[in-house]
Amino acid sequence: MSRESVVAKRYAKALFELAQSNNAVADVEKQLKIVVDVLSGDAQIRKFLGLPNVEVSKKIEIVRGALSDTVTVMVLNTVELLIIRGRQNAIAEVYEAYTKVAGDALGQAHATIYTAKSLSAEELSKVSAQFGTMIGKRIIAKQIVEPALLGGVQVRIGDRLYDGSLSGKLARLEQALKTQAL
């Protein structure tokens, strides 16, 4: 586990405890997602925040101007603290760690569902419900269409991958045949 991951988990846990005491766990998660999209999604902003010759106060002023209307003071202060300590590159990791901590506390998990073709909302809901029952948590799913799967589904929950895709089955069959041929 990298040092940045450990640091991100500490910030996420502290922010979660603060959000929980203010009954704002879900709101903070949504706001962190906005921060990640705004700050990490734009290469120029990332570059600006990483410039060592720009004063921290100027960086904070710009971030505050960009985010003050969309996030709470709690989230804004966390982002500012990361910038002050030179850890602005860890904002996305803080969000990921926060979703995990919040999900564990709230009995939910985020899942990415990969399919060869787009699923309807009802089909996506059924897949989510099946995996939710399997792991004992409510699944918050997002879908990614991956034509290379050929058929079936792959589900990633945290660091675990459940592969029921046709391409995965073919790869396992190929590996089994190679092993038997030796």
Side-chain angles (χ1 to χ4, degrees):
M1 184 177 293
S2 74
R3 180 163 167 70
E4 286 295 316
S5 301
V6 172
V7 169
K9 284 182 182 179
R10 283 188 193 144
Y11 279 95
K13 188 166 173 97
L15 182 58
F16 172 76
E17 289 171 2
L18 188 59
Q20 193 173 33
S21 68
N22 289 307
N23 293 324
V25 174
D27 290 337
V28 167
E29 185 174 337
K30 291 174 190 170
Q31 292 171 19
L32 273 177
K33 178 67 173 144
I34 292 169
V35 170
V36 168
D37 290 346
V38 169
L39 299 182
S40 299
D42 188 339
Q44 289 181 329
I45 292 175
R46 281 195 317 271
K47 185 177 178 182
F48 172 76
L49 291 176
L51 291 173
N53 58 344
V54 176
E55 290 182 30
V56 172
S57 60
K58 186 69 175 169
K59 292 176 184 179
I60 289 174
E61 179 184 327
I62 291 189
V63 168
R64 187 176 286 273
L67 297 173
S68 63
D69 293 340
T70 55
V71 299
T72 60
V73 173
M74 185 180 358
V75 173
L76 196 57
N77 286 345
T78 302
V79 172
E80 288 178 9
L81 188 59
L82 287 165
I83 293 170
I84 289 168
R85 297 205 172 145
R87 300 195 182 279
Q88 61 275 358
N89 292 334
I91 292 171
E93 284 187 71
V94 170
Y95 168 70
E96 293 297 325
Y98 183 89
T99 59
K100 179 149 180 37
V101 170
D104 288 345
L106 299 174
Q108 61 190 23
H110 289 264
T112 305
I113 299 175
Y114 301 91
T115 58
K117 294 183 179 180
S118 184
L119 297 177
S120 69
E122 183 180 327
E123 292 169 327
L124 187 61
S125 177
K126 284 181 181 178
V127 172
S128 298
Q130 278 185 315
F131 279 91
T133 301
M134 190 169 78
I135 66 168
K137 293 184 179 184
R138 186 175 71 83
I139 299 292
I140 299 170
K142 72 175 182 179
Q143 179 185 7
I144 297 178
V145 175
E146 189 67 48
L149 295 178
L150 304 175
V153 64
Q154 285 182 341
V155 179
R156 179 168 298 282
I157 302 172
D159 59 355
R160 184 161 228 175
L161 178 68
Y162 300 92
D163 189 355
S165 68
L166 185 56
S167 63
K169 289 177 182 178
L170 289 172
R172 289 188 294 277
L173 178 61
E174 178 183 30
Q175 186 63 36
L177 290 172
K178 284 181 181 179
T179 304
Q180 287 179 355
L182 296 175

